[in-house]
Structure formats: structure tokens, C-alpha cells
Amino acid sequence: MSGVNNEGFVQIEDLDQHAADAHRPTMAERQRVDYRTIAKDVGRLGEGKQYFIRTHGCQMNEHDTEIMAGMLEEMGYAPANVIEDADFVLYNTCAVRENAEDKVFGHIGTLKPIKAKNPNLLIGLCGCMAQEEVVREKVRVKHPHVDIVFGTHNIHMLPELIEQAHHSKETIFEVWDAAQGTVENLPKMRKDGVRAWVNIQYGCNKFCTYCIVPFTRGEERSRLPEDILNELRELAAEGYKEIYLLGQNVNDYGLDLGHIDFADLMDMAAGVEGIERIRFTTSNPWNFTDKLIDTIARHDKICNNIHLPAQSGNSQVLRRMKRGYTREEYLDLVERIKARIPDVSLTTDIITGFPGETEEQFQDTLSLLETVRYDSAYTFIYSPRAGTPATRLPDDVTEAEKKDRLLRLIGLQERITSEHAQEMVGKVYSVLVEGESKTNKNVLQARTESNKIVHIEGFTPDEIKSMVGQMILAKIVESKTWNLRGELLPEGVTV
Ligand code: SAH
Ligand code: SF4
Ligand code: F3S
């Protein structure tokens, strides 16, 4: 197929029907429940035992892992340093691309002989893959040594599923089609002491034609603002400084509640004392209102760092992806953001080799990168996901072409990213101290508002410890591939 023909568009028409067919829970089903009232008390079943959770996928999965770790530690489990020491191994999985799935089954396969030697080892599979029937079938047929399989809508059941698994020889499958409410007061074991993820919304209603997320995460559901603000206040009291508000479409926040939108929520969040920085992901190019841009511009605490996935720079491809905007509309939004927030750092997601993407259309994506000049881009080769409408679109892009486009895209973005980093050299930034660098305990690690890591040498571990959570001024002296090298400004120097 060359270009986009009418045939391509005709196939798009039934996509709306596809979306409409998906299960929509009613308002009554979508109730707020308290974990403390619904969780089954299983006691300290994990006392003396260790757990290991392997997490794939997005920040939402990372945060779900923090919640499940919280539940396990309430049961008495301790975290294992290595998977071999664990009595309970849990795979929190991602279904967004095929290779992630292959990896998980590879790992689970390697546990088979270990489980044969140690029948007390419990193995669990959860997350987005668990929502797929084909995956559950594969567990049934090929990996019966997995003990529990549960989905994204009922992670709060983990303790009782572990209890059941102790009495069952068969794999327990407990996967729900849809959420039955938002669950509050979940325990959490956050892995970082300075930055914290906070869910504001679950699910996705957009049904982009390539994407499995609406099927694995269900309909968009917003947490109540008072629950979110209470969590932020608690985090501030515990010493957290940087908050990451999470949702698949954060700028749709509140549409289901009716009386509040994302800009209002950010206004309120910025009022929480003790929180120094607020970030959010993912905000989408549609429904990114001028009110939202103004709110980001108005508050110092809201980072001028926006992840704005474009997916493609060509309007015909965007139409077939059902993204809801054209190249021109996207660029107009970028212009409006840059006009109001001149120092904004923009990042994006791009898919190459979408079915039928021509070289010419791909060139439009390259030119989009040049025009917007993103700070960084997450780039992916299109991966067909069973059950998504894009699998029915004609695809004549060869694997070699897809890979070649990906490499060209990465090459271009690397150049732009390093140009941005070069521009920072010699300038002074306010950075938030996170702790020691991963590789050297005498190097302090901090983060800029634009989400870049800065390393500053010459500290003792105790000095670094005493500075964690502080905002300091750093002059950038060198830009490296993955981070920046900075120097502390001498005492009393201000900018
Ligand atoms: N809600 C976010 C994206 C969540 S998924 C948004 O719309 O911006 C993260 C990224 O994975 C997407 O932005 C997209 O670039 C990529 N992705 C999703 N489905 C994919 C698929 N089938 N093949 C390749 N990449 C995909
Ligand atoms: Fe997937 Fe589109 Fe929803 Fe993002 S907005 S999660 S890409 S369907
Ligand atoms: Fe993957 Fe599910 Fe996140 S499919 S990207 S873990 S929402």
C-alpha cells in the first residue's frame, strides 16, 4: 500500500463501534471502596519469608508494585535481594508490546526446575498481560507451575490469593473484566524517599488503534480530589518533595466526576505545603486546554516538563492511529505551550512502522522531531496486539524498514538531546538532591526541573545524606551521554 487509501479509512469506521462494545461499568459499579474494609485479614502469613517482584511496563505498574509490596510487608514478608532467595516471586507484567511478553514467559520458564526442587515456592503473575485470555491459556497449558494469576483491577486481593494458594495445587485464576471501584487506603512501600508516584486516574477511554491499554486497564476512573490531596499531605509530612501524578490520560482527569478538571486538581496540589515539585504523566495532545497551560505556567512548583506523545508526525498515520489530532493541531499546541512556558522541556513517544507507513510519512515524523526539538523521545517499533483494530490494517512495511526507521529516529533524537544538554553547560539550575549516584557514593545525584540527572562530585556519604530532599543551585560544567556534571555554587552566591 502506498500512502493512505480510502480502504484504510473505511476500516477505521468500525473502530468507534469497537470502543462502544467494550464493557462500561455503571456509576454504581464505579464506587470508592476502602481497602481496610474489604481486605481479608490473612494475618502474618509471610512471617520469616521473602518476596521478589519483577516489574515490567509503565509507571503505573511500578506504582502497583509499590502497593503490592506494601501488602506483602503487612503480611510479614521481607524483600529479597535476589530472586533465588524469594519464597514468593511475582511478575507484574506489561502487554503493550510483544517482546515484553516473551521476556516474562522466558523468566517464568526458568523457575520451573527451581519450583520442582522447592514446592513451597509461590509464583504469581499479574498486571496487564494477565488481563489477556491468550496469556491465561498459555499459563494453563505451558506454565502450570504458576500458582496465582490476577489482573489489574483486583491487586487488592493479593493477600487472600496467597492464602488460597497455600491450600491449592491448581493455578488460581482471579482476573476481573472491569474495576468495581477505586480502592483507597492501600498500603504502599515506596522505593524512593524523595520522589513519589500518586495515581490520580485509572484506565483509558481513547482506544488508539494500536493500543491494548484500554482493554487491560479498563475505563477511565478518577480518584476523588480529597483522596489525592490527603495522600499528598501525608507524603509531604513524610518528607517527600517531588510528586508524579499518574494516569494514562491525566488531562481527562475529572471528566467522570463532573465538578473538577486536571487544571483545578493541579492548582490544589500546588497548594500542598512541603511539596516542592509536581510532575504528571501522561498528558495527551487532545484536551490539553489553555487553562491547563496557564496553570502549569502560573505555578513554580509544577515542573515545566511535559510528556506529550505524538506517535507520528504525519496526519494520515495519526488518523489511522485514531489519535484525534492532526500534525498541524499538534504543532499548534506545542506553539501555545512554548509561548506561555518558554523554558518548557518537552518529551514524546513515537511509533515507527505503523501499518502502511510510507517513507514519506516517516519523513514527516523526522521533521516533527526537528521542529519541536524534544528533550528526549521514547521510540518503539509498532507491535501488533491481538484484538486491537490496527491488526486489521494492511501492512506492507518490512521488518528491515521498520528497524531502519527506528535507528534513524533514534540517531536524530540523540543529536537533538545532546544539543539541548550542551546548551545547559555554563548555566545554573535549581536541582533537587536525591542521594548518592548509583555508581559512586561520593557523588551527589540531583535532578533538574526538566528531569535531567546532575552529578556533583566531592562529598562524603554523610554529607549527601544530610542534603537529601534539599533544593540546591548547581552550575552545569559538562554534558555526558546520560547525565550532566555539575558544581555546587559557592556559599552565598545566588542567581
Ligand atoms: N497513554 C499514553 C501511552 C501509554 S503506552 C499516551 O497515549 O500517550 C506508552 C507508549 O507505548 C505509547 O505512547 C506508544 O508510543 C507505545 N505503544 C503503545 N502501543 C504500542 C504498540 N502496539 N506498538 C508499539 N508501541 C506501542
Ligand atoms: Fe493507549 Fe491511546 Fe490510551 Fe495512550 S491514549 S493508553 S496510547 S489507547
Ligand atoms: Fe504496559 Fe499496562 Fe502500562 S500494558 S504500559 S503496564 S498500562
Short mmCIF file of all heavy atoms in Angstrom, two decimals, residues 432-487:
data_model
loop_
_atom_site.label_atom_id
_atom_site.label_comp_id
_atom_site.label_asym_id
_atom_site.label_seq_id
_atom_site.Cartn_x
_atom_site.Cartn_y
_atom_site.Cartn_z
N LEU A 432 17.05 19.28 42.71
CA LEU A 432 16.58 18.60 43.92
C LEU A 432 17.51 17.41 44.21
O LEU A 432 17.70 16.53 43.36
CB LEU A 432 15.14 18.11 43.70
CG LEU A 432 14.50 17.30 44.81
CD1 LEU A 432 14.38 18.11 46.11
CD2 LEU A 432 13.11 16.81 44.40
N VAL A 433 18.07 17.40 45.43
CA VAL A 433 19.04 16.34 45.79
C VAL A 433 18.29 15.04 46.07
O VAL A 433 17.37 15.00 46.88
CB VAL A 433 19.86 16.74 47.03
CG1 VAL A 433 20.85 15.63 47.40
CG2 VAL A 433 20.61 18.05 46.79
N GLU A 434 18.71 13.97 45.38
CA GLU A 434 18.05 12.67 45.57
C GLU A 434 18.87 11.70 46.41
O GLU A 434 18.34 10.79 47.00
CB GLU A 434 17.79 12.03 44.19
CG GLU A 434 16.79 12.83 43.38
CD GLU A 434 16.47 12.19 42.06
OE1 GLU A 434 17.22 11.31 41.61
OE2 GLU A 434 15.44 12.57 41.48
N GLY A 435 20.21 11.87 46.42
CA GLY A 435 21.05 10.95 47.18
C GLY A 435 22.36 10.71 46.47
O GLY A 435 22.81 11.55 45.68
N GLU A 436 22.95 9.52 46.78
CA GLU A 436 24.22 9.17 46.13
C GLU A 436 23.97 8.73 44.69
O GLU A 436 22.91 8.20 44.39
CB GLU A 436 24.85 7.97 46.85
CG GLU A 436 25.29 8.26 48.24
CD GLU A 436 25.66 6.96 48.98
OE1 GLU A 436 25.62 5.87 48.37
OE2 GLU A 436 25.98 7.05 50.17
N SER A 437 24.98 8.91 43.83
CA SER A 437 24.84 8.37 42.48
C SER A 437 24.90 6.85 42.60
O SER A 437 25.43 6.31 43.57
CB SER A 437 25.95 8.89 41.57
OG SER A 437 27.00 7.97 41.50
N LYS A 438 24.37 6.17 41.60
CA LYS A 438 24.29 4.70 41.68
C LYS A 438 25.68 4.06 41.71
O LYS A 438 25.87 3.00 42.27
CB LYS A 438 23.51 4.16 40.47
CG LYS A 438 22.02 4.33 40.64
CD LYS A 438 21.26 3.31 39.78
CE LYS A 438 19.77 3.52 39.90
NZ LYS A 438 19.22 4.45 38.90
N THR A 439 26.66 4.73 41.09
CA THR A 439 27.97 4.09 40.94
C THR A 439 29.05 4.61 41.87
O THR A 439 30.10 4.00 42.00
CB THR A 439 28.46 4.25 39.48
OG1 THR A 439 28.33 5.64 39.14
CG2 THR A 439 27.66 3.40 38.52
N ASN A 440 28.83 5.75 42.54
CA ASN A 440 29.89 6.31 43.37
C ASN A 440 29.28 7.00 44.59
O ASN A 440 28.52 7.96 44.45
CB ASN A 440 30.70 7.31 42.52
CG ASN A 440 31.92 7.82 43.24
OD1 ASN A 440 31.97 7.84 44.47
ND2 ASN A 440 32.91 8.25 42.47
N LYS A 441 29.64 6.53 45.79
CA LYS A 441 28.98 7.07 46.98
C LYS A 441 29.50 8.46 47.38
O LYS A 441 29.01 9.06 48.32
CB LYS A 441 29.03 6.09 48.15
CG LYS A 441 30.40 5.63 48.57
CD LYS A 441 30.24 4.59 49.68
CE LYS A 441 31.49 3.91 50.12
NZ LYS A 441 32.76 4.55 49.95
N ASN A 442 30.51 8.95 46.68
CA ASN A 442 30.98 10.31 46.93
C ASN A 442 30.45 11.30 45.89
O ASN A 442 30.83 12.46 45.87
CB ASN A 442 32.52 10.36 46.91
CG ASN A 442 33.10 9.55 48.04
OD1 ASN A 442 33.65 8.47 47.81
ND2 ASN A 442 32.90 10.00 49.27
N VAL A 443 29.56 10.81 45.06
CA VAL A 443 28.96 11.70 44.05
C VAL A 443 27.48 11.90 44.38
O VAL A 443 26.74 10.94 44.58
CB VAL A 443 29.12 11.09 42.63
CG1 VAL A 443 28.35 11.91 41.60
CG2 VAL A 443 30.59 11.02 42.25
N LEU A 444 27.11 13.17 44.45
CA LEU A 444 25.73 13.51 44.78
C LEU A 444 24.89 13.50 43.50
O LEU A 444 25.33 13.97 42.46
CB LEU A 444 25.73 14.89 45.42
CG LEU A 444 24.42 15.58 45.79
CD1 LEU A 444 24.67 16.47 47.01
CD2 LEU A 444 23.87 16.41 44.67
N GLN A 445 23.69 12.93 43.61
CA GLN A 445 22.78 12.92 42.46
C GLN A 445 21.60 13.84 42.71
O GLN A 445 20.96 13.77 43.76
CB GLN A 445 22.28 11.50 42.20
CG GLN A 445 21.23 11.46 41.09
CD GLN A 445 20.97 10.05 40.61
OE1 GLN A 445 21.89 9.30 40.30
NE2 GLN A 445 19.71 9.68 40.53
N ALA A 446 21.37 14.73 41.75
CA ALA A 446 20.23 15.65 41.86
C ALA A 446 19.51 15.69 40.52
O ALA A 446 19.97 15.11 39.54
CB ALA A 446 20.74 17.02 42.24
N ARG A 447 18.34 16.36 40.51
CA ARG A 447 17.53 16.37 39.29
C ARG A 447 17.07 17.78 38.95
O ARG A 447 16.69 18.54 39.84
CB ARG A 447 16.30 15.47 39.50
CG ARG A 447 15.60 15.04 38.24
CD ARG A 447 14.48 14.09 38.58
NE ARG A 447 14.98 12.78 39.00
CZ ARG A 447 15.16 11.75 38.18
NH1 ARG A 447 14.86 11.85 36.90
NH2 ARG A 447 15.60 10.60 38.63
N THR A 448 17.15 18.12 37.68
CA THR A 448 16.68 19.45 37.25
C THR A 448 15.17 19.42 37.08
O THR A 448 14.56 18.35 37.00
CB THR A 448 17.29 19.85 35.89
OG1 THR A 448 16.80 18.92 34.90
CG2 THR A 448 18.81 19.84 35.91
N GLU A 449 14.59 20.60 36.96
CA GLU A 449 13.15 20.69 36.70
C GLU A 449 12.80 19.97 35.40
O GLU A 449 11.75 19.37 35.27
CB GLU A 449 12.76 22.18 36.60
CG GLU A 449 11.29 22.38 36.34
CD GLU A 449 10.86 23.83 36.40
OE1 GLU A 449 11.66 24.68 36.85
OE2 GLU A 449 9.72 24.10 36.00
N SER A 450 13.74 19.99 34.43
CA SER A 450 13.48 19.33 33.15
C SER A 450 13.72 17.82 33.23
O SER A 450 13.73 17.14 32.20
CB SER A 450 14.34 19.96 32.05
OG SER A 450 15.71 19.82 32.37
N ASN A 451 13.91 17.30 34.45
CA ASN A 451 14.01 15.86 34.69
C ASN A 451 15.35 15.27 34.26
O ASN A 451 15.43 14.09 33.91
CB ASN A 451 12.86 15.12 34.01
CG ASN A 451 12.37 13.95 34.84
OD1 ASN A 451 12.95 13.64 35.89
ND2 ASN A 451 11.31 13.31 34.41
N LYS A 452 16.41 16.06 34.27
CA LYS A 452 17.73 15.53 33.92
C LYS A 452 18.55 15.32 35.19
O LYS A 452 18.48 16.11 36.12
CB LYS A 452 18.47 16.51 33.02
CG LYS A 452 17.83 16.64 31.66
CD LYS A 452 18.81 17.25 30.69
CE LYS A 452 18.18 17.35 29.32
NZ LYS A 452 17.04 18.26 29.30
N ILE A 453 19.32 14.24 35.18
CA ILE A 453 20.15 13.91 36.33
C ILE A 453 21.44 14.73 36.29
O ILE A 453 22.09 14.82 35.26
CB ILE A 453 20.52 12.41 36.28
CG1 ILE A 453 19.26 11.55 36.28
CG2 ILE A 453 21.50 12.04 37.39
CD1 ILE A 453 18.79 11.08 37.60
N VAL A 454 21.77 15.31 37.44
CA VAL A 454 23.03 16.06 37.57
C VAL A 454 23.88 15.37 38.63
O VAL A 454 23.39 15.07 39.72
CB VAL A 454 22.76 17.52 37.99
CG1 VAL A 454 24.07 18.30 38.13
CG2 VAL A 454 21.84 18.22 37.00
N HIS A 455 25.15 15.12 38.32
CA HIS A 455 26.06 14.54 39.30
C HIS A 455 27.05 15.60 39.76
O HIS A 455 27.62 16.32 38.95
CB HIS A 455 26.81 13.35 38.68
CG HIS A 455 25.95 12.13 38.58
ND1 HIS A 455 26.14 11.16 37.64
CD2 HIS A 455 24.89 11.74 39.32
CE1 HIS A 455 25.23 10.21 37.80
NE2 HIS A 455 24.45 10.54 38.81
N ILE A 456 27.25 15.67 41.07
CA ILE A 456 28.21 16.63 41.62
C ILE A 456 29.18 15.85 42.50
O ILE A 456 28.77 15.11 43.41
CB ILE A 456 27.50 17.73 42.45
CG1 ILE A 456 26.36 18.36 41.61
CG2 ILE A 456 28.49 18.80 42.89
CD1 ILE A 456 25.53 19.39 42.35
N GLU A 457 30.48 16.00 42.21
CA GLU A 457 31.49 15.19 42.90
C GLU A 457 31.95 15.85 44.20
O GLU A 457 31.72 17.04 44.42
CB GLU A 457 32.73 15.03 41.99
CG GLU A 457 32.46 14.17 40.78
CD GLU A 457 33.40 14.46 39.62
OE1 GLU A 457 34.40 15.17 39.83
OE2 GLU A 457 33.09 14.01 38.51
N GLY A 458 32.64 15.04 45.04
CA GLY A 458 33.36 15.60 46.17
C GLY A 458 32.59 15.70 47.48
O GLY A 458 32.79 16.63 48.26
N PHE A 459 31.73 14.74 47.77
CA PHE A 459 31.00 14.75 49.04
C PHE A 459 31.30 13.46 49.81
O PHE A 459 31.66 12.45 49.20
CB PHE A 459 29.49 14.81 48.80
CG PHE A 459 29.02 16.09 48.19
CD1 PHE A 459 28.96 16.23 46.81
CD2 PHE A 459 28.64 17.16 49.00
CE1 PHE A 459 28.53 17.41 46.24
CE2 PHE A 459 28.20 18.33 48.43
CZ PHE A 459 28.14 18.47 47.05
N THR A 460 31.10 13.51 51.12
CA THR A 460 31.12 12.26 51.87
C THR A 460 29.68 11.72 51.86
O THR A 460 28.73 12.50 51.71
CB THR A 460 31.54 12.47 53.34
OG1 THR A 460 30.52 13.27 53.98
CG2 THR A 460 32.89 13.17 53.45
N PRO A 461 29.53 10.41 52.04
CA PRO A 461 28.17 9.86 52.07
C PRO A 461 27.29 10.54 53.12
O PRO A 461 26.09 10.76 52.89
CB PRO A 461 28.39 8.38 52.40
CG PRO A 461 29.76 8.08 51.89
CD PRO A 461 30.56 9.34 52.10
N ASP A 462 27.88 10.92 54.27
CA ASP A 462 27.09 11.59 55.31
C ASP A 462 26.62 12.96 54.86
O ASP A 462 25.48 13.36 55.15
CB ASP A 462 27.92 11.73 56.61
CG ASP A 462 27.95 10.41 57.37
OD1 ASP A 462 27.09 9.54 57.05
OD2 ASP A 462 28.82 10.25 58.24
N GLU A 463 27.51 13.67 54.18
CA GLU A 463 27.11 15.00 53.67
C GLU A 463 25.94 14.85 52.70
O GLU A 463 24.96 15.60 52.76
CB GLU A 463 28.29 15.66 52.93
CG GLU A 463 29.32 16.28 53.86
CD GLU A 463 30.58 16.73 53.12
OE1 GLU A 463 30.90 16.19 52.04
OE2 GLU A 463 31.26 17.60 53.66
N ILE A 464 26.05 13.85 51.82
CA ILE A 464 24.97 13.65 50.84
C ILE A 464 23.66 13.33 51.58
O ILE A 464 22.61 13.90 51.30
CB ILE A 464 25.33 12.53 49.84
CG1 ILE A 464 26.55 12.95 49.01
CG2 ILE A 464 24.15 12.21 48.93
CD1 ILE A 464 27.06 11.91 48.03
N LYS A 465 23.76 12.45 52.57
CA LYS A 465 22.58 12.05 53.33
C LYS A 465 21.87 13.27 53.94
O LYS A 465 20.65 13.39 53.91
CB LYS A 465 23.00 11.09 54.45
CG LYS A 465 21.97 10.03 54.74
CD LYS A 465 22.44 9.14 55.85
CE LYS A 465 22.30 7.68 55.48
NZ LYS A 465 23.00 6.80 56.39
N SER A 466 22.69 14.20 54.47
CA SER A 466 22.09 15.36 55.13
C SER A 466 21.47 16.33 54.12
O SER A 466 20.69 17.20 54.50
CB SER A 466 23.15 16.09 55.97
OG SER A 466 24.07 16.72 55.11
N MET A 467 21.83 16.18 52.86
CA MET A 467 21.29 17.12 51.85
C MET A 467 20.10 16.56 51.08
O MET A 467 19.47 17.29 50.29
CB MET A 467 22.40 17.48 50.86
CG MET A 467 23.51 18.31 51.48
SD MET A 467 24.93 18.43 50.38
CE MET A 467 24.32 19.56 49.14
N VAL A 468 19.79 15.27 51.28
CA VAL A 468 18.69 14.66 50.52
C VAL A 468 17.39 15.46 50.72
O VAL A 468 17.04 15.82 51.84
CB VAL A 468 18.49 13.18 50.94
CG1 VAL A 468 17.19 12.62 50.39
CG2 VAL A 468 19.67 12.34 50.46
N GLY A 469 16.72 15.75 49.63
CA GLY A 469 15.45 16.48 49.70
C GLY A 469 15.61 17.99 49.62
O GLY A 469 14.61 18.71 49.54
N GLN A 470 16.86 18.46 49.63
CA GLN A 470 17.07 19.92 49.54
C GLN A 470 17.14 20.37 48.09
O GLN A 470 17.60 19.64 47.22
CB GLN A 470 18.39 20.32 50.21
CG GLN A 470 18.35 20.27 51.71
CD GLN A 470 19.71 20.67 52.30
OE1 GLN A 470 20.55 21.29 51.65
NE2 GLN A 470 19.92 20.30 53.55
N MET A 471 16.71 21.61 47.87
CA MET A 471 16.90 22.23 46.55
C MET A 471 18.20 23.01 46.63
O MET A 471 18.37 23.85 47.53
CB MET A 471 15.76 23.19 46.24
CG MET A 471 14.41 22.53 46.16
SD MET A 471 14.18 21.61 44.64
CE MET A 471 13.52 22.87 43.62
N ILE A 472 19.12 22.75 45.71
CA ILE A 472 20.38 23.49 45.72
C ILE A 472 20.63 24.07 44.32
O ILE A 472 19.99 23.66 43.35
CB ILE A 472 21.58 22.58 46.11
CG1 ILE A 472 21.68 21.38 45.14
CG2 ILE A 472 21.46 22.10 47.55
CD1 ILE A 472 22.95 20.57 45.30
N LEU A 473 21.56 25.02 44.25
CA LEU A 473 21.89 25.59 42.95
C LEU A 473 23.13 24.89 42.42
O LEU A 473 24.13 24.75 43.12
CB LEU A 473 22.16 27.09 43.08
CG LEU A 473 20.94 27.96 43.39
CD1 LEU A 473 21.35 29.40 43.61
CD2 LEU A 473 19.91 27.87 42.26
N ALA A 474 23.06 24.46 41.17
CA ALA A 474 24.22 23.78 40.58
C ALA A 474 24.52 24.40 39.22
O ALA A 474 23.61 24.72 38.45
CB ALA A 474 23.93 22.29 40.41
N LYS A 475 25.83 24.59 38.99
CA LYS A 475 26.26 25.07 37.68
C LYS A 475 26.65 23.86 36.84
O LYS A 475 27.42 23.01 37.29
CB LYS A 475 27.45 26.01 37.85
CG LYS A 475 27.94 26.60 36.56
CD LYS A 475 29.02 27.61 36.84
CE LYS A 475 29.56 28.13 35.51
NZ LYS A 475 30.60 29.11 35.72
N ILE A 476 26.12 23.77 35.64
CA ILE A 476 26.43 22.62 34.79
C ILE A 476 27.80 22.86 34.13
O ILE A 476 28.01 23.92 33.50
CB ILE A 476 25.35 22.41 33.70
CG1 ILE A 476 23.95 22.34 34.34
CG2 ILE A 476 25.64 21.18 32.86
CD1 ILE A 476 23.75 21.26 35.39
N VAL A 477 28.72 21.90 34.29
CA VAL A 477 30.05 22.09 33.73
C VAL A 477 30.33 21.13 32.56
O VAL A 477 31.24 21.37 31.78
CB VAL A 477 31.15 21.95 34.81
CG1 VAL A 477 31.10 23.13 35.78
CG2 VAL A 477 31.05 20.63 35.55
N GLU A 478 29.55 20.07 32.46
CA GLU A 478 29.81 19.14 31.36
C GLU A 478 28.54 18.35 31.05
O GLU A 478 27.80 17.99 31.96
CB GLU A 478 30.93 18.15 31.79
CG GLU A 478 31.42 17.28 30.67
CD GLU A 478 32.39 16.18 31.16
OE1 GLU A 478 32.81 16.23 32.35
OE2 GLU A 478 32.69 15.29 30.36
N SER A 479 28.31 18.10 29.78
CA SER A 479 27.17 17.23 29.45
C SER A 479 27.69 15.90 28.97
O SER A 479 28.57 15.83 28.12
CB SER A 479 26.30 17.89 28.39
OG SER A 479 26.87 17.78 27.13
N LYS A 480 27.16 14.84 29.58
CA LYS A 480 27.58 13.49 29.18
C LYS A 480 26.40 12.82 28.48
O LYS A 480 25.32 13.39 28.40
CB LYS A 480 27.97 12.70 30.43
CG LYS A 480 29.15 13.32 31.17
CD LYS A 480 29.54 12.36 32.28
CE LYS A 480 30.78 12.82 32.99
NZ LYS A 480 31.09 11.90 34.08
N THR A 481 26.61 11.57 28.06
CA THR A 481 25.54 10.92 27.30
C THR A 481 24.24 10.80 28.11
O THR A 481 23.17 11.14 27.64
CB THR A 481 25.98 9.49 26.87
OG1 THR A 481 27.35 9.57 26.50
CG2 THR A 481 25.15 8.98 25.74
N TRP A 482 24.35 10.33 29.36
CA TRP A 482 23.13 10.05 30.11
C TRP A 482 22.84 11.05 31.21
O TRP A 482 21.79 11.03 31.82
CB TRP A 482 23.18 8.64 30.72
CG TRP A 482 23.37 7.59 29.69
CD1 TRP A 482 24.46 6.78 29.54
CD2 TRP A 482 22.49 7.26 28.61
NE1 TRP A 482 24.30 5.97 28.45
CE2 TRP A 482 23.10 6.24 27.86
CE3 TRP A 482 21.23 7.74 28.21
CZ2 TRP A 482 22.51 5.68 26.73
CZ3 TRP A 482 20.64 7.17 27.08
CH2 TRP A 482 21.27 6.16 26.37
N ASN A 483 23.81 11.89 31.53
CA ASN A 483 23.57 12.85 32.60
C ASN A 483 24.46 14.08 32.44
O ASN A 483 25.21 14.19 31.48
CB ASN A 483 23.79 12.19 33.96
CG ASN A 483 25.14 11.53 34.06
OD1 ASN A 483 26.16 12.18 33.83
ND2 ASN A 483 25.17 10.26 34.39
N LEU A 484 24.34 14.97 33.41
CA LEU A 484 25.12 16.21 33.37
C LEU A 484 26.06 16.21 34.57
O LEU A 484 25.74 15.64 35.61
CB LEU A 484 24.17 17.41 33.47
CG LEU A 484 23.12 17.52 32.36
CD1 LEU A 484 21.97 18.39 32.85
CD2 LEU A 484 23.72 18.11 31.10
N ARG A 485 27.22 16.87 34.43
CA ARG A 485 28.09 17.03 35.58
C ARG A 485 27.97 18.47 36.04
O ARG A 485 28.00 19.39 35.22
CB ARG A 485 29.54 16.69 35.21
CG ARG A 485 30.43 16.46 36.44
CD ARG A 485 31.71 15.72 36.03
NE ARG A 485 32.51 16.52 35.12
CZ ARG A 485 33.34 17.49 35.52
NH1 ARG A 485 33.48 17.77 36.80
NH2 ARG A 485 34.04 18.17 34.63
N GLY A 486 27.78 18.63 37.35
CA GLY A 486 27.59 19.99 37.86
C GLY A 486 28.54 20.31 38.99
O GLY A 486 29.25 19.43 39.49
N GLU A 487 28.56 21.58 39.37
CA GLU A 487 29.33 22.03 40.53
C GLU A 487 28.39 22.82 41.41
O GLU A 487 27.52 23.54 40.93
CB GLU A 487 30.48 22.94 40.09
CG GLU A 487 31.68 22.19 39.58
CD GLU A 487 32.74 23.11 38.99
OE1 GLU A 487 32.54 24.36 39.02
OE2 GLU A 487 33.75 22.60 38.49
#
